[in-house]
Amino acid sequence: MHRLLLLGCLWLLAAPPGSGIFQRPTGTPAPPRLQYLLEPLHPAVHTQRGATATLPCVLRALPHNYRVKWSKLEPANYRESIIIITNGLYHKNYGPLSPRVRLRHSHRYDASLTITDVALEDEGRYRCQLVNGLEDESISLTLHLEGVVFPYQPSNGRYKFNYHEAKRACEQQDSRLATYQQLYKAWTEGLDWCNAGWILDGTVHYPIINSREPCGGRLLLPGVRTYGARDKQKDRFDAFCFTSALQGRVYFIRGHLNFKEAGQACRNHGAAIAKVGQLYSAWKFSQLDRCDGGWLEDGSVRYPITTPRQRCGGLPDPGVRSFGFPSKEMRSYGTYCFVGK
């Protein structure tokens, strides 16, 4: 029996390419071959907030009466939003991206899309589609922003946000709800958080590095654990927010200030009290490192640590530490201010 199995395996390995062995099953369509569009060398473009990014789309030939349509795929509402349409001579922009997009058009075969002053909401998947009668074809590219994911909850405790409140809370803190890819990347980089939170597509997750009893038990492997899709109106969780590079800087003012005095101290310097997302961005991209707790715009007190040390919380990893939401009348902290460029 074993000999027959061995002979059968050897016959399969020796089967000639045209023999039908390993061929695509009957009825399974082959992926469409691109006739006019060039396959991009890299399917993802990496950038930061405030930068200029170009998504490549180049034709190898110009068919008669063709159009190129750029659109953005929106996973949160399962829509495809048109950005720009061109026939090679004229073009028309559409939607909220309209003021910040143009065709690179470095030569007559170039239909690449350039986005200026990249914003947090620009991250995602884009499609360049050649519309040419019955021979339509398209390529997809992903715009990735470099940034940082942080868990967020309000002053009245955990699990208070429905989806829409979580989305609004992130936006108020100079960030947006993270995508699953952003949360997963943050987990691979060490994010370990036991509270479940909303992400952009309306699902709920929490990332665990160190398995422990209050977080699903010690027997479960580390990973991004999921509650799946939840009711966006009724179910309540925390939020996972994502922010990218700042167009400005965050700095600290020392003092024993209450919350109102902290805001006034920033305004006296022509600045505003910093938001949580701005502090995380300064920690991530500017290596802001201070052992001093400072007020932030949402009434929380936090401090950023890039070089962990014993007298700055004692934790072994870099991060933004939190004192929570103390009484706004307490005069124990300085303040973190933000000034734009």
Side-chain angles (χ1 to χ4, degrees):
M1 182 66 179
H2 293 294
R3 191 173 172 214
L4 285 173
L5 286 172
L6 178 60
L7 287 172
C9 292
L10 290 172
W11 177 79
L12 285 171
L13 289 172
S19 64
I21 306 299
F22 307 126
Q23 288 186 351
R24 188 181 306 277
T26 305
T28 304
R33 181 178 175 275
L34 292 176
Q35 182 179 355
Y36 292 103
L37 295 178
L38 291 175
E39 193 74 44
L41 287 175
H42 304 287
V45 173
H46 295 266
T47 188
Q48 293 181 354
R49 177 168 54 175
T52 296
T54 297
L55 299 169
C57 183
V58 178
L59 286 72
R60 57 164 55 93
L62 300 178
H64 293 294
N65 301 319
Y66 77 95
R67 288 178 298 149
V68 170
K69 179 176 74 173
W70 274 101
S71 55
K72 185 172 188 283
L73 309 179
E74 306 285 1
N77 49 24
Y78 306 103
R79 288 193 307 127
E80 187 169 342
S81 303
I82 297 175
I83 299 170
I84 196 168
I85 296 178
T86 180
N87 64 0
L89 296 174
Y90 307 100
H91 69 272
K92 185 172 182 180
N93 293 17
Y94 297 86
L97 265 174
S98 181
R100 296 189 289 112
V101 295
R102 57 181 171 82
L103 294 169
R104 182 174 64 180
H105 209 63
S106 57
H107 52 79
R108 67 195 189 107
Y109 299 102
D110 185 12
S112 302
L113 182 74
T114 295
I115 305 173
T116 59
D117 193 19
V118 170
L120 293 176
E121 60 269 20
D122 296 343
E123 171 146 320
R125 213 154 67 87
Y126 292 77
R127 175 178 289 142
C128 176
Q129 182 179 11
L130 176 72
V131 182
N132 182 34
L134 298 177
E135 300 181 21
D136 294 359
E137 55 189 63
S138 66
I139 58 171
S140 292
L141 300 113
T142 302
L143 185 66
H144 283 302
L145 268 70
E146 298 173 12
V148 57
V149 171
F150 61 94
Y152 189 74
Q153 58 182 223
S155 59
N156 57 341
R158 72 172 195 160
Y159 293 176
K160 301 297 182 181
F161 294 136
N162 67 23
Y163 172 81
H164 306 287
E165 292 163 344
K167 186 172 183 289
R168 189 160 53 248
C170 288
E171 290 166 355
Q172 289 170 349
Q173 295 308 314
D174 192 50
S175 57
R176 72 186 298 235
L177 278 176
T179 64
Y180 182 82
Q181 290 77 12
Q182 290 165 346
L183 181 62
Y184 185 88
K185 183 174 184 289
W187 168 71
T188 66
E189 295 170 349
L191 182 60
D192 183 280
W193 197 254
C194 203
N195 293 347
W198 294 102
I199 63 171
L200 186 61
D201 64 3
T203 57
V204 174
H205 309 266
Y206 64 103
I208 293 295
I209 298 289
N210 302 305
S211 299
R212 50 203 186 272
E213 285 305 328
C215 305
R218 297 179 183 276
L219 298 180
L220 286 179
L221 292 173
V224 178
R225 298 176 183 166
T226 179
Y227 288 2
R230 311 299 290 190
D231 189 306
K232 291 183 178 180
Q233 292 287 354
K234 296 178 181 178
D235 289 327
R236 295 189 173 271
F237 298 95
D238 291 347
F240 285 105
C241 305
F242 171 84
T243 192
S244 185
L246 281 176
Q247 299 301 290
R249 76 183 173 94
V250 172
Y251 62 94
F252 182 74
I253 294 179
R254 190 182 298 276
H256 297 282
L257 310 170
N258 63 29
F259 177 72
K260 185 176 180 181
E261 292 166 343
Q264 187 60 51
C266 291
R267 290 192 291 275
N268 290 344
H269 286 76
I273 190 167
K275 299 180 178 183
V276 177
Q278 291 167 341
L279 185 65
Y280 269 92
S281 179
W283 166 74
K284 174 76 173 181
F285 291 98
S286 304
Q287 287 73 55
L288 184 63
D289 184 287
R290 287 207 69 104
C291 210
D292 307 280
W295 291 103
L296 295 176
E297 189 264 353
D298 67 340
S300 65
V301 172
R302 305 174 196 249
Y303 61 102
I305 296 295
T306 56
T307 305
R309 45 210 186 269
Q310 192 60 41
R311 294 190 177 183
C312 295
L315 296 175
D317 300 315
V320 174
R321 321 281 196 237
S322 175
F323 288 125
F325 294 84
S327 167
K328 290 185 176 181
E329 302 305 316
M330 186 178 290
R331 283 190 170 92
S332 300
Y333 307 105
T335 184
Y336 289 96
C337 304
F338 170 76
V339 61
K341 287 185 178 178

